Amino acid sequence: QARLRKSSKQNFLSIKMKWLQLILNAFLKYQQGRSLMPKNTESLIGLLISILVIIIAVANGIAIGYALIVVWCIMAYVFYRKGYQPKELLNLSWTGAKTSIVVMQIFLLIGWLIAMWQAAGIIPMIIATGIDLIDPSLFIACAFLLTAIVSMLLGTAFGTVGTIGIVLITMARAGNIPENIVAGAIIAGAYFGDRNGPLSSSASLVAALTHTKVSSNIPLMFKAGLPALVISTVLYLILSQWFPLNYENSLLSDTIHFIFNIDWTLWIPVIIVIGLLPLKVSIRWPIGVSALAAAILAYTNQGATLSDLGWYTLTGFELPHYNPLADIIHGGGLQTMFIPTLSIFMATAISGMLEGVGFWNDVRQLLERAKTRSDVFAANVGLALLTGAVGCSQAIAVVMTHSIMRITYAQRGIQDEDVMLDFENSGILIAPLLPWNIAAYVPIVMMGTSTAGYVPFAFFLYLVPLLYWLRLRNQDQPIIR
């Protein structure tokens, strides 16, 4: 019995040791797993919660600017727990936010421009002209191609949407075409020119980051984007046949001429924008001068009083509710640009804080998994989505992604021209697909359309990255470091 008790005790100890060994191995694996995870796990969790806050805000129609205030508070709290003082976080945020002041001024000027163009009768005049010139069964395709051409000439997506884009979306409303389809075509066309235009600020930004020249980049960008351009145009032609312009009131053009005093002088503000934008002056000048000229014409041609013009400037242009054009001709004003200006201010503040605390440093280790050329581009797209979602700005998305990936591109010996194409085919076009990003949010506000309804119809914006990735994947070979 003593031997039996001794044997039983040894078996119990053996089983106990095995369990302790299993627990120890599990603990060691857990520790090893923790060491493989990014050290900034708390910050990444805060980031994911922030993105969730933004998505919830978009889904519920809550203004993005207010959501970004919440996001800033979340990330500031995370970094405060990590040892950063509130004053230091505020200084880092202001360093980023002050870069948005010029952009905020442009937003306010665009709001003024739209209101004055409406009050002067410029947008109604262009609508009346377009009714006579554009084939109703080709309207959606024309909306895409016209905005693409204008954006190529002007070099600004915002300026394009704020001028020809407003006219086209207003025509779509009058012609009973689903607004989301036309909004998608307009935004896609605007960013076609923003990507490829010789005067584009985004093209200049990418060229500066990648040490290339805009003049030599344009043919490469056009060639890379040509398949997407052709497919997009065909899709818009099909949609144009399904949804042609249908003016229930065939006297719309006559109604415009009856309500507004239309003459050749109304083309002056348009000529000012077209003439000054190509010059190497701040975009504030052509927009501001054109808006001022339109205000003068609204006073002299349409009989608007100074108090009317002041009210339109603040709240936007509106016709009396009984006017037959009241639902078509309206919009603009500084009030409509309050949320976009708040959004860009908070977005750049968040960006400055993240950059200042070195948040993105831990993300770089994840890029080691990119083994092929298509993997590197896929990583670029993923980072562009992340930085565009958090930074809420096209420029921030590109600059942040480049800051994170530049070492990866250098280590893999990828040529500058190919690096340029990666950025032109990712962040530049992905930012406008995020409804809360300023690249999309400002055009949406200017056109007065739904927050995310345009996304499925902005074909060019997601066809370019997809087709470019497929091309790289077909040519894939492991990258030798």
Side-chain angles (χ1 to χ4, degrees), residues 2 24 40 75 125 190-191 239 253 262 285 308 342-343 363 385 395:
L24 180 61
N40 225 352
M75 298 309 298
M125 173 192 66
Y191 282 99
L239 288 173
S253 180
I262 306 295
W285 282 102
D308 288 337
L342 175 63
S343 300
V363 179
L385 280 168

Side-chain angles (χ1 to χ4, degrees), residues 106-124 161-163 166-167 170 260 266 269 287-288 290-299 302 304-319 328-337 445-447:
I106 293 170
F107 287 174
L108 295 175
L109 284 171
I110 288 175
W112 184 35
L113 176 77
I114 295 171
M116 293 304 99
W117 275 32
Q118 297 275 22
I122 295 166
I123 290 177
V161 175
T163 52
I166 297 297
V167 173
T170 305
F260 292 93
L266 297 186
I287 293 175
S290 178
L292 179 61
I296 294 171
L297 290 171
Y299 180 80
Q302 312 303 340
T305 64
L306 293 178
S307 62
D308 288 337
L309 293 176
W311 185 249
Y312 297 154
T313 297
L314 290 175
T315 64
F317 177 75
E318 285 187 1
L319 290 167
I328 301 173
I329 310 299
H330 60 84
L334 303 183
Q335 180 177 288
T336 61
M337 288 295 155
V445 170
M446 286 193 289
M447 291 188 290

Side-chain angles (χ1 to χ4, degrees), residues 152-232:
M152 284 277 289
L153 294 173
L154 301 184
T156 164
F158 291 168
T160 300
V161 175
T163 52
I164 188 67
I166 297 297
V167 173
L168 291 167
I169 199 68
T170 305
M171 290 181 68
R173 289 192 184 104
N176 298 308
I177 295 180
E179 288 183 20
N180 289 334
I181 297 177
V182 181
I186 290 169
I187 292 176
Y191 282 99
F192 170 85
D194 186 77
R195 171 182 178 269
N196 295 280
L199 302 174
S200 168
S201 58
S202 65
S204 299
L205 173 63
V206 173
L209 291 173
T210 57
H211 308 291
T212 55
K213 294 182 178 179
V214 174
S215 57
S216 58
N217 290 347
I218 289 174
L220 297 174
M221 286 189 286
F222 188 82
K223 182 180 178 181
L226 186 59
L229 175 64
V230 173
I231 294 172
S232 298

Side-chain angles (χ1 to χ4, degrees), residues 5 134 151 457 463 481:
R5 283 195 298 270
I134 297 178
S151 186
F457 305 103
L463 281 175
R481 299 184 193 178

